[in-house]
Amino acid sequence: MIKSMTGYGRGEEGSNGCHFIVEIKALNHRHLDLVIRAPKDLLPLEETIRRILQEKISRGRLEVYVTHEMAQGKMKNVVINEELARAYFQALQNLQTLFPLAAKVLTVTELALLPEVLSLEKDAVDVEALAPLLKKAVNTAVSKLILQREEEGGRLEADIRQRLQKLEIFNAQIKERVPLCLEEYREKLNMRLAELHGDREYDQQRFFTEVAFFAERCNIEEETVRLESHLHIFRQTLQKNEAVGRKLTFLLQEMNREVNTIAAKSSDLKISHLAVEAKSEIEKIREQVQNIE
């Protein structure tokens, strides 16, 4: 089953006052591009998150958002900046000496309200103890993301298979048209020579040579056979349970090359029209394949 490269997954795990929320947003990208946004305290665990994603996802840009919450009363301590408090106190005393201002007693509350005298400091985070809980949250988010990618991939595959069927019909119609083109050219050439020569004899060998030359120049059998083979391989590739986006892109390039050659070789209006229709379907498939992992 093919997978889309776009999707969203969310995982949430909590235990003993610790709570993790992991959200993953997936976008199209040629390669696997991981962007992890997590609190600084969890920096040592980013590689763990990265390994989990690399094991399960092959392509796409993954934006991972990690939220870490701790129970109230277990997160922060109040820290006194003693040196800064002394500096404030000394500066205020100096101001009192320099300027004839009314004396006023500085209260503890007023000193505490001065910038950065008091600050909140988080308790040290035991990342090793948090790792199993974070892994669960990441795995849950990835599982939901993959499920959504598979669902979207199923819709993409259904649309692509319909367009492949159209391509097969166009290719079959082109193959049927080739011998008719040769016969029409033979008749037109014969009529033209009859108009030019009337009842007089003309070089029959030259006539057959010209027909043979036209047949050789317009021979597109190899192209139609290769196109048919590419379509067959394309269908087989869609059934693989792996990342196939790059291979499908390559096959589309080959299919487009065959159709271009068919259009260039043939001077028949109907074949040219069928080639244009085939190129249009290939381009629509290419747009869908750009979303496939």
Side-chain angles (χ1 to χ4, degrees), residues 47-292:
E47 186 58 32
T48 300
I49 299 173
R50 193 175 297 274
R51 282 198 302 268
I52 294 173
L53 297 175
Q54 289 172 339
E55 289 174 358
K56 299 185 177 183
I57 305 292
S58 298
R59 289 180 71 198
R61 175 182 170 86
L62 302 184
E63 297 179 358
V64 184
Y65 302 90
V66 180
T67 303
H68 178 215
E69 300 174 351
M70 296 292 290
Q72 293 295 328
K74 296 183 179 180
M75 288 183 61
K76 301 176 180 179
N77 297 317
V78 179
V79 178
I80 303 173
N81 191 331
E82 295 182 13
E83 292 185 5
L84 183 61
R86 287 195 182 93
Y88 276 131
F89 183 77
Q90 185 63 48
L92 291 172
Q93 285 187 325
N94 293 339
L95 283 174
Q96 179 65 37
T97 302
L98 292 172
F99 301 101
L101 299 174
K104 183 180 178 182
V105 177
L106 179 67
T107 67
V108 174
T109 302
E110 290 172 335
L111 181 60
L113 291 175
L114 293 175
E116 299 183 14
V117 171
L118 298 181
S119 61
L120 296 177
E121 183 180 69
K122 289 185 179 180
D123 291 333
V125 176
D126 186 353
V127 292
E128 294 300 324
L130 296 178
L133 197 62
L134 177 59
K135 287 180 182 179
K136 287 183 180 180
V138 173
N139 280 315
T140 300
V142 173
S143 296
K144 292 181 178 179
L145 170 64
I146 292 174
L147 180 61
Q148 195 174 103
R149 288 177 125 200
E150 288 176 346
E151 292 174 351
E152 178 61 21
R155 290 189 285 269
L156 291 174
E157 182 176 352
D159 181 78
I160 289 172
R161 288 190 180 277
Q162 289 180 355
R163 300 191 184 282
L164 290 175
Q165 189 174 7
K166 290 182 180 180
L167 282 174
E168 289 172 339
I169 293 173
F170 291 146
N171 194 41
Q173 291 174 339
I174 289 171
K175 292 170 70 175
E176 292 175 0
R177 181 64 188 164
V178 171
L180 297 177
C181 292
L182 182 59
E183 185 60 32
E184 288 177 3
Y185 178 78
R186 189 200 308 271
E187 292 177 1
K188 288 179 181 179
L189 182 59
N190 200 18
M191 291 175 61
R192 182 59 176 164
L193 289 173
E195 290 177 1
L196 293 173
H197 294 277
D199 295 334
R200 292 174 296 171
E201 293 185 0
Y202 55 86
D203 188 350
Q204 292 286 331
Q205 185 62 37
R206 177 74 179 276
F207 170 77
F208 291 120
T209 300
E210 181 64 25
V211 172
F213 177 74
F214 176 82
E216 180 63 27
R217 186 183 62 186
C218 300
N219 182 14
I220 55 175
E221 181 180 359
E222 290 185 8
E223 286 76 14
T224 56
V225 170
R226 282 198 295 265
L227 179 56
E228 189 174 357
S229 174
H230 294 328
L231 288 167
H232 177 68
I233 296 173
F234 199 100
R235 286 184 179 277
Q236 287 184 326
T237 305
L238 285 176
Q239 297 175 356
K240 294 183 178 181
N241 189 25
E242 59 187 58
V244 295
R246 289 192 183 93
K247 185 173 182 179
L248 294 179
T249 299
F250 173 75
L251 287 170
L252 285 172
Q253 292 173 352
E254 294 301 307
M255 289 159 61
N256 194 61
R257 183 177 293 111
E258 302 303 340
V259 173
N260 282 335
T261 304
I262 289 171
K265 280 188 173 184
S266 177
S267 58
D268 180 69
L269 185 60
K270 292 183 179 180
I271 290 181
S272 297
H273 176 72
L274 288 169
V276 170
E277 292 293 330
K279 284 173 64 67
S280 176
E281 291 301 322
I282 290 174
E283 184 58 32
K284 291 174 183 176
I285 295 174
R286 190 198 307 277
E287 292 175 1
Q288 300 288 44
V289 167
Q290 289 177 352
N291 300 317
I292 294 176

